[in-house]
Amino acid sequence: MVTIQDVAKAAGVSPMTVSHVINEHPHVKTATRQKVLVAISALDYRVNIAARNLRTGRTGTIGLAVPELDRPYYGHLAALITEAAAEHKLHVVVEQTGATRESELRALALSRNRLYDGLILATVGLGAADSDLLRVDHPVVILGERIFDGPVDHIALPNVDGAQTAVTHLIESGCRRIAILDAAAPEAPHPDDAAPGERAAEVNVSTLRHTGYRTALAAAGIAYDPALVTGVERFTMRGGAEAATRLVESGVPFDGVFCVTDTVAMGALRAFATLGIRVPADVKVIGFDDVPESEYLVPSLSSIAPDHDETARTAVRLLVDRIQHGATGRPAREVVSGYRLVARETTAG
Amino acid sequence: MVTIQDVAKAAGVSPMTVSHVINEHPHVKTATRQKVLVAISALDYRVNIAARNLRTGRTGTIGLAVPELDRPYYGHLAALITEAAAEHKLHVVVEQTGATRESELRALALSRNRLYDGLILATVGLGAADSDLLRVDHPVVILGERIFDGPVDHIALPNVDGAQTAVTHLIESGCRRIAILDAAAPEAPHPDDAAPGERAAEVNVSTLRHTGYRTALAAAGIAYDPALVTGVERFTMRGGAEAATRLVESGVPFDGVFCVTDTVAMGALRAFATLGIRVPADVKVIGFDDVPESEYLVPSLSSIAPDHDETARTAVRLLVDRIQHGATGRPAREVVSGYRLVARETTAG
DNA sequence: TTGTACGCGTTATCAG
DNA sequence: CTGATAACGCGTACAA
C-alpha cells in the first residue's frame, strides 16, 4: 500500500506538503505542487479514507437504510436521495435492513454508522413505542410512518390523508363496496373503537392507511364491512396477488379495491386478470406510492403520489443540517410530505 | 464520543482487556469480562469502525456499485447479493454509479474502496477496450458484459446465447418479422461484416444481445432487416415506450419484438396497448432479465432468465476468495451465468 | 513556503 | 490471564 509518506519521499518533500496539495490548500508553490502531483500519479497513490476519517471525523458519505432493495418504491427513493445528496457533495450508500423492527434498530444503533456522516432510515417495522430507542447521538432522519414527538427528525408520508383521498376517489368514481388490501396480522381497531385511555394499536403504514380508508367511507356514509378487509402477508406482488385471489374466492361482492401499496396493487391486478375480472369495468383499483412502474402498467394504475422528489430533497436537507449543526442541538422536526392523486386507467369511468 | 479508554477506566482494566472482550478472545476471566461488559453498556460504548479499519485493514463490508438503483433488475440483484454476502458474514452497501463509462471507472478507482474489503461492480458502460483500466490492486468482481481476458474476475451474462434463445423462441412461435429494441447510437455492425483485423465495435449488453438476435435470424434463414432495428435512448420504461411507438409509426410491418431488457419491454407493452396493438395476438414480445415484475404484468412477459441467484452467489464467492487469498494472486477467472427461457403470455400461441 | 511532532481509536505483539 | 508499547495513515498546530 502506497502512503502519503511514499509520495513525499518520491517527490522530495514532506508528507505535510503532499497533504496540502491533496486538499488543495492555497500556499503551495506551483512547482512543488507539480512535483507532488507527478509523484502521486506515478505511484498511483490514493488517500486512505479510513485514516482521514479517523482524523477528521467526517466521511463525506451518508447512509440510506431501506427495508428491501427489490421493491420499486425503495429503488426509486434511493435514486432520488442519491441525486439530492450529490448537490451537497455527499455520497450515498444504501443498505438493506430486512424490514423487521429489530433490523431497523440495528441499522440505527450499529457502530457502522460511524462510517457515515449521517443516516436516513426508511422504516416500516418501527412503531411509536420505539420512540426512546431512536435517541441516538449521530445525525439521523427517519422516513416513514408518523411517530409523534419522536426524538429525531422525521419525514412522514401523508398516509392517512392520502388513503382517504384514494378511497374518496373510488367513491366518486361510483364504487360503493370498496375492499382494502392491507397488512394481515393484527386487526387494526379504528381509533373511535378504542376504549378511552387504551393504547392505540401499533402505528404503521398499514394502520394509518387503514384509518384513511375508514375515514373516507364514514365521510361518504358507507358502512365499514370487515368482510371487505383482506390481509396481505407481505407487501409484495405475490402477496397482493394472493390476497386479491382470496378476496374474490371469499365470494363477497366488491366494486373497488384500495391497495396499501402500488406493489401490492400490481399483484392484485395480475390476479384479477387471471380470474377474468376486468379492471376498471368490473372493479376499480387504486394503489399508493406511485412507483415508476404504475404509469406503464396495462391498465395503468391510479395511485397516490407522495412528492418523492421533495421528500428526498427534504430528507437530505434535514440531515445535512444536523451534520453541520450537531445532532442534538435543535429539537426534532417533523415534516409531512405533500401528495397528489394520480387518476389513471384503473379508476377510469 | 466514548472510547475504549473510557470503558477501560470505568471497568478498572486496561484498554487492551476491553479490546479482548469486544473481540471475544478466549483468555479473559469471566469476572473481568462481566465488569467490562457492564461498563460498555453503562457508557453505551460503540467501537469506532474507522479506527479498527485503520488498524486491521478490514471492514467486513463489501460494496456493490450498480448503474441505476431504480431499475428492477439492479434492485433485485442488490437484494440477492446482500443475501449471499450475509452467508459469509459480510455487510453489503450499494451505490449508484450513474451508468456511464467514466462513473464506473471512478467507482472502481475511488479511494473509497478502501472502506470496503471488496467491490462488485455491475457495468454497462465499460467496454473491452477498458481492460487495462480494470487492473486494480483491491479485490474486485465485474458483473456484466463479456470482457475477454480482462485482468479481473468477471461474471458474464449469457447475452449472446440468451438473446439467440429468445429470438428463436419468437420464431418458433410463428414470428417472421421480428423487431429489436436495443441501444440507439452506434450502429453495431455484425461481427461477420467487420473487415479482417478491424477492431470490433464496442462490446456491451446491447451489441451482444444484438448479435444473438442476428444469429437466431440467420439460423432460421430469415434475412436481417435494418428497418426492424429501433434504437432505445435509455433502457427505461419510457425509452421502451418511445421506441415502440416509433417502430409502429414507421409503418414497417412486424409480428414479434425482442426487447433488450424487461424494463424496455414493459414500456413497449404499454405503448402497444395505447396504440391498440394486441399482445400476443398481433405481436409477440419477449424481454431479457426476468425481473420480478415480468411474471405479474398483464399480459405476463416472456423473458430470458439468467440464474440470478447463482450469479449473486458466485459473485460473492469469487470476491471472498480474492479477499482471503489476495487480489492479485491467481489469474482472473471468467464465469458465464446459466439461463433459461421463461415463456409466458406475451409469446403464447 | 515547508517541516516536525503529535493525536485520532484501535489492535498486534509480546512481556509479565 | 492481563497490560505496556507501538503502529496503522492522515491532518492540525505550530515551528522553522
Side-chain angles (χ1 to χ4, degrees):
Chain A
M1 166 176 294
V2 33
T3 78
I4 202 171
Q5 329 266 355
D6 301 328
V7 175
K9 208 163 295 176
V13 300
S14 82
M16 202 48 244
T17 304
V18 179
S19 176
H20 282 149
V21 172
I22 293 169
N23 298 297
E24 298 179 345
H25 286 187
H27 304 303
V28 181
K29 227 181 355 184
T30 313
T32 313
R33 183 199 314 284
Q34 281 312 320
K35 276 194 305 187
V36 171
L37 289 176
V38 167
I40 284 179
S41 74
L43 297 176
D44 196 27
Y45 164 78
R46 322 266 170 82
V47 306
N48 182 325
I49 297 248
R52 168 182 286 173
N53 177 23
L54 178 61
R55 187 71 181 95
T56 64
R58 287 279 172 91
T59 62
T61 299
I62 63 176
L64 168 66
V66 301
E68 302 189 0
L69 280 162
D70 56 354
R71 295 237 281 271
Y73 175 70
Y74 294 114
H76 190 211
L77 181 67
L80 290 175
I81 286 183
T82 299
E83 200 176 314
E87 292 172 9
H88 296 265
K89 296 189 188 301
L90 286 170
H91 270 273
V92 174
V93 302
V94 189
E95 55 185 69
Q96 183 168 274
T97 61
T100 70
R101 179 174 165 282
E102 291 70 28
S103 57
E104 287 175 0
L105 286 173
R106 205 179 317 133
L108 193 65
L110 219 57
S111 50
R112 144 186 303 292
N113 293 343
R114 289 275 166 72
L115 286 181
Y116 310 142
D117 292 343
L119 178 72
I120 297 176
L121 176 63
T123 65
V124 297
L126 292 177
D130 298 311
S131 253
D132 292 346
L133 299 172
L134 299 179
R135 197 175 303 280
V136 292
D137 60 351
H138 38 252
V140 168
V141 172
I142 302 276
L143 211 59
E145 71 273 16
R146 203 152 194 158
I147 303 176
F148 295 104
D149 300 325
V152 296
D153 289 342
H154 177 222
I155 300 184
L157 296 182
N159 286 309
V160 177
D161 292 356
Q164 183 177 350
T165 300
V167 174
T168 300
H169 175 62
L170 287 176
I171 294 169
E172 288 172 349
S173 303
C175 300
R176 282 303 170 269
R177 294 199 46 82
I178 300 173
I180 179 171
L181 305 189
D182 66 359
E187 255 311 305
H190 192 247
D192 295 349
D193 298 343
E198 186 180 313
R199 176 84 190 173
E202 188 174 4
V203 173
N204 57 42
V205 175
S206 189
T207 58
L208 289 169
R209 293 181 186 176
H210 190 98
T211 299
Y213 165 75
R214 294 193 63 162
T215 306
L217 292 183
I222 299 176
Y224 172 74
D225 181 353
L228 288 168
V229 178
T230 304
V232 179
E233 296 292 332
R234 299 181 59 216
F235 291 177
T236 59
M237 292 176 286
R238 171 190 287 263
E242 290 173 352
T245 302
R246 259 182 283 122
L247 172 63
V248 171
E249 288 175 348
S250 77
V252 52
F254 63 98
D255 55 12
V257 183
F258 169 50
C259 301
V260 70
T261 71
D262 279 9
T263 299
V264 166
M266 286 176 67
L269 287 177
R270 176 62 237 186
F272 289 149
T274 301
L275 297 168
I277 294 170
R278 294 165 305 163
V279 178
D282 300 331
V283 170
K284 299 193 199 310
V285 176
I286 191 166
F288 199 121
D289 284 344
D290 193 37
V291 300
E293 281 75 5
S294 297
E295 180 182 354
Y296 289 90
L297 295 178
V298 180
S300 58
L301 177 63
S302 297
S303 189
I304 297 299
D307 191 339
H308 293 120
D309 216 69
E310 174 66 17
T311 300
R313 222 180 296 281
T314 303
V316 171
R317 195 162 35 72
L318 288 178
L319 192 62
V320 166
D321 189 72
R322 286 290 177 193
I323 291 171
Q324 291 174 347
H325 301 102
T328 52
R330 193 178 10 277
R333 283 161 295 186
E334 169 166 318
V335 178
V336 179
S337 299
Y339 72 96
R340 64 197 175 84
L341 168 70
V342 183
R344 298 203 182 94
E345 293 170 353
T346 56
T347 57
Chain B
M1 166 176 295
V2 33
T3 77
I4 203 171
Q5 328 265 354
D6 301 328
V7 176
K9 209 163 295 176
V13 299
S14 81
M16 207 49 241
T17 302
V18 178
S19 176
H20 283 148
V21 171
I22 292 169
N23 298 295
E24 297 179 344
H25 286 187
H27 305 303
V28 181
K29 226 183 356 183
T30 313
T32 313
R33 183 198 317 281
Q34 281 311 322
K35 276 195 304 187
V36 171
L37 289 176
V38 167
I40 285 179
S41 76
L43 297 176
D44 196 27
Y45 161 79
R46 321 267 171 83
V47 306
N48 181 324
I49 296 251
R52 169 182 285 174
N53 178 22
L54 177 60
R55 179 64 224 200
T56 65
R58 286 279 172 91
T59 61
T61 298
I62 63 176
L64 168 65
V66 302
E68 302 190 359
L69 279 163
D70 57 353
R71 295 237 280 273
Y73 175 69
Y74 294 114
H76 190 211
L77 180 67
L80 290 176
I81 285 182
T82 300
E83 200 175 314
E87 293 172 8
H88 295 265
K89 298 188 186 302
L90 287 170
H91 271 273
V92 174
V93 303
V94 189
E95 55 185 69
Q96 183 168 273
T97 61
T100 69
R101 178 175 165 280
E102 291 69 29
S103 57
E104 288 175 0
L105 286 173
R106 206 180 316 132
L108 192 64
L110 221 56
S111 50
R112 145 186 307 291
N113 292 340
R114 288 276 164 70
L115 288 180
Y116 311 141
D117 292 343
L119 178 72
I120 296 176
L121 177 64
T123 65
V124 297
L126 292 177
D130 298 311
S131 253
D132 292 347
L133 299 172
L134 300 179
R135 196 175 304 279
V136 292
D137 61 350
H138 39 252
V140 168
V141 172
I142 303 275
L143 211 58
E145 71 274 15
R146 202 153 196 157
I147 304 175
F148 295 104
D149 301 325
V152 296
D153 290 341
H154 177 225
I155 300 185
L157 295 182
N159 286 310
V160 178
D161 292 356
Q164 183 178 350
T165 300
V167 174
T168 300
H169 175 62
L170 287 177
I171 294 169
E172 288 172 349
S173 303
C175 300
R176 284 300 170 270
R177 292 199 48 81
I178 300 174
I180 179 170
L181 304 188
D182 66 1
E187 256 311 305
H190 192 247
D192 296 348
D193 297 345
E198 186 180 312
R199 178 82 191 176
E202 189 174 2
V203 172
N204 59 42
V205 174
S206 188
T207 58
L208 289 169
R209 294 182 185 176
H210 190 98
T211 299
Y213 165 76
R214 293 194 63 162
T215 306
L217 292 183
I222 298 176
Y224 172 74
D225 181 354
L228 288 169
V229 178
T230 304
V232 179
E233 295 292 332
R234 297 181 60 217
F235 291 176
T236 59
M237 291 175 288
R238 170 189 288 262
E242 290 173 350
T245 303
R246 260 183 283 122
L247 172 63
V248 171
E249 288 175 347
S250 77
V252 52
F254 63 98
D255 55 12
V257 183
F258 169 51
C259 301
V260 69
T261 70
D262 278 10
T263 299
V264 167
M266 287 177 66
L269 287 176
R270 176 63 236 186
F272 289 148
T274 301
L275 297 169
I277 294 170
R278 295 166 304 164
V279 177
D282 300 333
V283 169
K284 299 192 198 310
V285 176
I286 191 165
F288 199 121
D289 284 345
D290 193 37
V291 301
E293 281 75 5
S294 297
E295 180 182 354
Y296 289 90
L297 296 177
V298 180
S300 58
L301 176 62
S302 297
S303 190
I304 297 298
D307 190 339
H308 293 119
D309 215 70
E310 173 64 19
T311 300
R313 222 180 295 282
T314 303
V316 172
R317 194 160 36 72
L318 288 177
L319 192 63
V320 167
D321 188 71
R322 286 290 178 195
I323 292 170
Q324 291 175 346
H325 300 103
T328 51
R330 193 179 7 280
R333 282 161 295 186
E334 170 167 316
V335 178
V336 179
S337 298
Y339 72 96
R340 65 197 173 85
L341 167 71
V342 183
R344 298 203 181 95
E345 293 169 354
T346 57
T347 56

